[in-house]
């Protein structure tokens, strides 16, 4: 199959990238990160997470972030909202898009959002209803699509079931999370094939963490299947607080370099993006996990 001409990159660095950082990061740094990402040409930025500050302290300034960011024309700024309480707060802050997040693993669902998969889907129903009434689009995440830190193997059929439930509920797009980055290309292809029998391919996104160094290979594999939305995090920042040892998302710079090489448009300025990766890793005292970012900074 031919590759898509264009790919939408969803930058999750300000949320997924920072949520697991143990030391407080000041709101001003988060806001500068979001602004620099927009200036680099990213059109979709997941900026914050309206979750319990007891569960994820680093996201406690969600209100300040969402109300403090400078809206660039054409850029969507979204936030995670696990329940109605989170959604109401996000709406008060003017969020124009939100995301609910479920899992294809029962154990992960319990650890991450303190309820079963079935309970989570019930909880999301009123979130979707309320968001729709407010004209706010809802994205759906499914975690553990290529393996779970607690249950191990997860079948593609289970991923397809949960994805379909989110799509049928009204999520405009379902983002498939390899939360612990254990996937490999053939497994990723099989999973996408199973899910795309239930949901149109253009309503799916790949959200791959790079813990085992496979994320770019897995992305190439699912691009061949027809995926045209990719989640990534500048400098490969991140990790999930409820998936021990899981490292960051695939680095945005590496994704853009790959796509540039394939002649696929993203609208993103790689130099500016790499500069943002260098800046943010220095600002928060973290290593830059983008190979492209490190190589470009060394030139
Ligand atoms: P719970 O304890 O079952 O909730 O947590 P509850 O309804 O019983 O409420 C308990 C307390 O939390 C109450 O406060 C609520 O007000 C408060 P108290 O009366 O005890 O002072 N509360 C909230 N506060 C702020 N915002 C809210 C909210 N809701 C309740 N929205 C809950 C359930 C879902 C809230 C909790 O489990 C939680 O916050 N989990 C978030 C976990 C998380 O953020 N994980 C990381 C994001 S997911 C991810 O990274 C994966 C992804 O990247 C894809 C992938 O890679 O796979 C998306
Ligand atoms: Mg993630």
């Amino acid at each position: 199959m031919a590759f898509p001409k264009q790919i939408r990159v969803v930058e999750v660095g300000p949320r997924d990238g920072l949520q697991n950082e143990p030391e407080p990061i000041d709101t001003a740094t988060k806001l500068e990160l979001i602004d620099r990402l927009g200036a680099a040409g990213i059109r979709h930025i997941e900026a914050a997470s309206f979750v319990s500050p007891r569960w994820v302290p680093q996201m406690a300034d969600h209100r300040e972030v969402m109300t403090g960011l400078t809206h660039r024309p054409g850029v969507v700024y979204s936030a995670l909202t696990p329940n109605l309480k989170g959604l109401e707060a996000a709406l008060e802050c003017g969020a124009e898009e939100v995301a609910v997040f479920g899992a294809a693993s029962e154990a992960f669902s319990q650890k991450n959002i303190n309820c079963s998969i079935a309970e989570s889907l019930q909880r999301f129903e009123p979130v979707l209803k309320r968001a729709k009434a407010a004209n706010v689009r809802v994205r759906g995440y499914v975690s553990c699509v290529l393996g779970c830190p607690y249950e191990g193997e997860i079948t593609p059929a289970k991923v397809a079931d949960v994805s379909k439930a989110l799509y049928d509920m009204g999520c405009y797009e379902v983002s498939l999370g390899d939360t612990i980055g254990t996937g490999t290309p053939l497994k990723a292809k099989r999973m996408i094939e199973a899910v795309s029998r239930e949901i149109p391919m253009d309503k799916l996104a790949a959200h791959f963490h790079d813990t085992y160094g496979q994320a770019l290979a897995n992305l190439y594999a699912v691009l061949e299947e027809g995926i045209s939305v990719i989640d990534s995090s500048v400098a490969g920042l991140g990790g999930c607080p409820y998936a021990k040892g899981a490292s960051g998302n695939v680095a945005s710079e590496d994704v853009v370099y790959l796509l540039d090489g394939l002649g696929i448009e993203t609208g993103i300025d790689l130099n500016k993006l790499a500069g943002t990766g260098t800046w943010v890793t220095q600002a928060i005292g973290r290593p830059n996990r983008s190979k492209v970012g490190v190589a470009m900074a060394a030139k």
Side-chain angles (χ1 to χ4, degrees):
M1 170 168 180
F3 288 129
K5 282 204 167 52
Q6 280 182 344
I7 293 279
R8 179 157 55 88
V9 173
V10 177
E11 170 64 46
V12 297
R15 192 281 300 174
D16 209 343
L18 299 183
Q19 69 183 6
N20 206 28
E21 283 300 314
E23 298 301 324
I25 297 169
D26 55 35
T27 307
T29 304
K30 295 178 184 177
L31 291 173
E32 182 167 351
L33 173 60
I34 292 164
D35 200 55
R36 283 178 183 250
L37 291 166
I42 298 207
R43 291 287 163 264
H44 192 150
I45 303 174
E46 198 170 73
S49 187
F50 288 80
V51 296
S52 159
R54 255 193 258 166
W55 285 64
V56 184
Q58 188 62 254
M59 293 287 114
D61 60 349
H62 40 231
R63 281 178 186 273
E64 290 78 3
V65 171
M66 286 308 279
T67 54
L69 57 82
T70 309
H71 287 253
R72 284 176 183 266
V75 182
V76 172
Y77 301 89
S78 62
L80 295 191
T81 55
N83 51 20
L84 263 182
K85 185 180 169 83
L87 177 68
E88 291 299 347
L91 293 178
E92 280 167 32
C93 297
E96 56 208 332
E97 181 176 320
V98 298
V100 294
F101 48 104
S105 147
E106 282 295 346
F108 187 81
S109 181
Q110 288 290 351
K111 298 268 186 201
N112 194 43
I113 50 175
N114 205 24
C115 64
S116 68
I117 296 172
E119 283 163 348
S120 75
L121 296 173
Q122 273 170 18
R123 200 183 272 178
F124 299 154
E125 292 265 7
V127 174
L128 272 118
K129 221 171 147 197
R130 175 76 184 92
K132 202 172 170 204
N135 250 332
V136 162
R137 296 204 305 174
V138 184
R139 197 173 199 235
Y141 279 104
V142 181
S143 283
C144 301
V145 301
L146 295 172
C148 168
Y150 311 105
E151 291 180 10
E153 286 294 316
I154 298 292
T155 64
K158 186 71 201 169
V159 180
D161 279 355
V162 180
S163 303
K164 183 171 180 346
L166 291 173
Y167 186 66
D168 288 349
M169 210 182 276
C171 290
Y172 80 93
E173 180 170 284
V174 176
S175 176
L176 300 160
D178 182 10
T179 316
I180 52 171
T182 51
T184 45
L186 272 182
K187 245 175 116 174
K189 269 184 192 269
R190 286 194 190 115
M191 182 275 295
I192 291 288
E193 279 162 13
V195 180
S196 64
R197 282 196 285 271
E198 305 293 340
I199 303 175
M201 190 67 87
D202 64 351
K203 305 294 180 200
L204 297 176
H207 178 107
F208 295 164
H209 285 258
D210 199 28
T211 317
Y212 283 76
Q214 305 295 302
L216 273 186
N218 295 343
L219 284 177
Y220 190 86
V222 300
L223 281 172
E224 286 187 325
E225 296 290 308
I227 281 285
S228 60
V229 184
I230 295 176
D231 297 0
S232 61
S233 170
V234 69
L237 294 174
C240 178
Y242 297 99
K244 204 162 181 256
S247 69
N249 296 84
V250 66
S252 307
E253 300 90 314
D254 297 5
V255 170
V256 172
Y257 184 83
L258 172 73
L259 297 177
D260 280 352
L262 292 171
I264 300 174
E265 282 168 35
T266 61
I268 297 167
D269 179 329
L270 183 57
N271 277 313
K272 283 191 182 159
L273 184 62
T276 302
T278 304
W279 168 80
V280 72
T281 46
Q282 283 167 1
I284 68 169
R286 282 281 164 193
N288 190 335
R289 293 211 204 95
S290 164
K291 289 220 167 194
V292 169
V294 171
M296 286 177 68
K299 270 205 218 162

